[in-house]
Amino acid sequence: MIRCIRRAAAFCLLLLVALLVNAARVQLFEADELDDNPANRRSAIVRYDQPRGNILVGDRPVTGNKETGEQLSFERTYLHGPLYAPVTGYASQTYGTTLIENAEDAVLSGTDSLLAPLPFWNEFTRGRQPGGDVVTTIKASMQQAAYEGLRGRRGAVAALDPSTGAILALVSTPSYDPERLSGTGAAVTDAWSRLNASPSMPMLNRAIRQTYPPGSTFKIVTAAAALDSRTVTDPDAATDTPSPYVLPGTDTTLPNEARGCENASLADAIRVSCNTVMAHLGVEVGLDGMVETAEKFGFNDTGLRIPSGVARSNFDTDMSDDQLALSSIGQFNTKATPLQMAMVASAVAGGGDLRRPHLVDRVTTNTGDTVRRERSESYERPMNPATAVQLQRMMVEVVENGTGSNAAIDGVRVGGKTGTAQHGVDNSGLPYAWFISWAQAPDSGRPAVAVAVVVEDAAADRADISGGGSAAPIARAVMEAALEEE
């Protein structure tokens, strides 16, 4: 009998050891996999059992939380949702997170180690703190001006502080209310289906995730390359450029919509937007020089984050001379996000120094203590300071005596460049209207803001679309709001 009891006890001990080994295996080696399993509701229950931290514009939250009385206790709410959707993104119990809600999820959900009372506290306890807050660089007045300026048309606005790289406005229209996606159930799935099926693509963040042919706004990049490479030594001297200009190696002629472009100087070519002069100069600079300059401005960068990922703006690195000519005036395969073209304007306004764009100013605990602050960093120096000064003068001429007069602000030094970008098969698509600009108050030693605007505007008459007519007034409104913030 004793022998049987001993054997039974030994067998039970063996089972206990096996149970402990299996528990250790699950906890140490399979915990992450089980946490990520869609069938595991525990992580979702824990995730939504406390309020999420807020995203702030200035000192005001543009997000909130509401109690649901259900298993997932708290649901995300948004103040002025469509206005700030390109900044916040959404936090959905059904569809996950995007934009700042995604990039700063660890802070907002309380799992970031920065919020813990001791180093590695969250890692050891597998716990979390009350959700922290994310303070953005957005200026409410500028965001509102950009949003109202677009008036629901398809388009986008990006505005930067040239001195710091802080993103002051980031608007994409038409927009959507992210609160409609916050919870669960049929209403959320129906809203998701309608938003994704809409031909106007309201959930597309056109400011950072959509690329467009930049058209004549890219001529600022070409001008920088021509001046820095000494292809042009005197921007006011005549160039040896016929009008129309025959694309190298082809029988195709490139015309101008502007008059007086034959042998026009670089300064005049920028002021009235001569295709022929800028295409010719791009070819003279050469492929290597154009690629080098474009990439210093941010083109072809696949790793730009603000902290959300930004779509890659493209300037081809392998082209024939006729393709290079078209690329040098923002056509062929040249594509850019509105943020990228705001970076171009910012580099000129900043005296040749391009600051890395960023959307988050600081991160705080739920009690307001700062635990991380974003620093202003140099992204690149796309041009010499002397070149930037020359381009500033040319862009001011565009506004004062050229195609960008609709961006003029009384008593303020404003530089700009218009663009009307053709696209589609045989350029059959409705042109995109572009305007890039910067503004400097007379009593200030530095520009207040650099802005890029693109308007798709599929409802407009073709003749009414131009950078100066459609996009420049929006840029002016954003610049005026920025100057009032000074």
Side-chain angles (χ1 to χ4, degrees):
M1 178 64 69
I2 294 176
R3 183 182 301 167
C4 291
I5 292 174
R6 288 176 176 171
R7 288 177 178 174
F11 182 67
C12 289
L13 180 61
L14 180 63
L15 291 177
L16 179 61
V17 171
L19 181 63
L20 293 173
V21 169
N22 186 61
R25 177 183 63 82
V26 170
Q27 293 181 15
L28 294 177
F29 301 108
E30 297 185 8
D32 291 339
E33 182 180 348
L34 292 172
D35 281 344
D36 295 337
N37 191 315
N40 181 8
R41 292 275 293 170
R42 290 182 62 85
S43 60
I45 293 170
V46 171
R47 181 180 181 82
Y48 295 106
D49 72 350
Q50 71 175 27
R52 192 169 172 83
N54 282 316
I55 299 171
L56 283 73
V57 171
D59 58 357
R60 296 189 59 190
V62 296
T63 59
N65 301 275
K66 66 180 180 182
E67 292 192 57
T68 65
E70 300 175 356
Q71 193 175 47
L72 303 181
S73 303
F74 288 92
E75 186 177 297
R76 195 57 143 168
T77 61
Y78 294 88
L79 181 66
H80 308 305
L83 174 63
Y84 291 111
V87 176
T88 63
Y90 58 76
S92 170
Q93 295 173 351
T94 305
Y95 298 107
T97 56
T98 59
L99 301 178
I100 284 182
E101 293 278 27
N102 175 264
E104 299 290 353
D105 181 64
V107 170
L108 296 167
S109 64
T111 61
D112 196 305
S113 59
L114 288 173
L115 305 174
L118 296 171
F120 308 110
W121 179 267
N122 289 355
E123 287 79 354
F124 283 127
T125 64
R126 296 183 66 82
R128 58 182 180 148
Q129 309 305 310
D133 294 337
V134 176
V135 183
T136 70
T137 56
I138 294 294
K139 299 296 185 182
S141 62
M142 297 176 62
Q143 187 82 358
Q144 189 72 42
Y147 187 77
E148 291 178 356
L150 285 167
R151 296 192 298 274
R153 292 176 292 177
R154 283 188 286 191
V157 177
L160 296 169
D161 182 339
S163 300
T164 66
I167 298 174
L168 306 177
L170 198 70
V171 170
S172 175
T173 60
S175 189
Y176 71 103
D177 186 356
E179 191 168 330
R180 296 172 63 191
L181 304 176
S182 292
T184 60
V188 171
T189 55
D190 288 347
W192 177 266
S193 297
R194 287 195 300 272
L195 288 169
N196 281 283
S198 173
S200 64
M201 297 184 289
M203 293 178 70
L204 172 63
N205 191 333
R206 290 172 165 85
I208 62 171
R209 298 280 172 83
Q210 179 70 5
T211 60
Y212 304 87
S216 293
T217 58
F218 189 82
K219 291 173 182 175
I220 298 300
V221 178
T222 302
L227 289 166
D228 268 3
S229 66
R230 308 293 292 171
T231 301
V232 172
T233 55
D234 180 359
D236 296 311
T239 60
D240 184 19
T241 310
S243 180
Y245 169 69
V246 179
L247 296 177
T250 75
D251 296 327
T252 303
T253 56
L254 180 66
N256 289 298
E257 293 188 9
R259 294 183 177 181
C261 288
E262 184 170 1
N263 297 326
S265 68
L266 173 61
D268 284 340
I270 293 294
R271 180 175 59 83
V272 299
S273 205
C274 295
N275 289 333
T276 51
V277 173
M278 303 311 299
H280 176 59
L281 289 177
V283 174
E284 288 203 331
V285 170
L287 179 61
D288 290 344
M290 285 299 300
V291 169
E292 180 182 3
T293 300
E295 291 185 346
K296 285 182 178 179
F297 276 102
F299 284 82
N300 299 337
D301 186 349
T302 59
L304 182 61
R305 304 189 66 83
I306 62 169
S308 306
V310 178
R312 172 184 180 270
S313 296
N314 182 72
F315 189 82
D316 278 3
T317 58
D318 185 11
M319 291 182 281
S320 59
D321 281 350
D322 59 313
Q323 294 168 339
L324 176 59
L326 293 174
S327 296
S328 299
I329 58 171
Q331 297 289 347
F332 187 56
N333 286 336
T334 304
K335 299 287 180 64
T337 63
L339 178 63
Q340 171 63 76
M341 296 315 297
M343 291 168 66
V344 170
S346 180
V348 175
D353 181 27
L354 176 58
R355 311 305 292 178
R356 184 174 295 276
H358 60 278
L359 187 55
V360 173
D361 177 63
R362 64 188 184 277
V363 167
T364 73
T365 64
N366 72 319
T367 58
D369 295 329
T370 298
V371 294
R372 189 184 86 221
R373 185 178 292 275
E374 296 296 325
R375 295 181 301 173
S376 173
E377 297 180 356
S378 178
Y379 177 83
E380 185 59 87
R381 184 169 286 279
M383 71 194 94
N384 293 322
T387 295
V389 170
Q390 291 175 311
L391 286 176
Q392 287 174 7
R393 176 176 66 84
M394 292 182 222
M395 292 181 74
V396 168
E397 276 292 301
V398 169
V399 174
E400 293 184 352
N401 300 299
T403 57
S405 58
N406 282 335
I409 302 172
D410 288 344
V412 176
R413 186 169 183 247
V414 177
K417 183 69 190 80
T418 56
T420 303
Q422 307 290 339
H423 69 104
V425 178
D426 295 327
N427 290 333
S428 59
L430 201 71
Y432 299 133
W434 277 95
F435 193 74
I436 63 173
S437 61
W438 49 268
Q440 181 174 346
D443 56 348
S444 175
R446 61 179 182 83
V449 64
V451 183
V453 179
V454 64
V455 181
E456 297 179 32
D457 207 349
D461 293 333
R462 187 184 185 96
D464 291 337
I465 290 196
S466 69
S470 297
I474 301 171
R476 183 184 65 233
V478 175
M479 291 187 290
E480 287 173 336
L483 293 166
E484 290 175 3
E485 291 276 350
E486 289 263 290

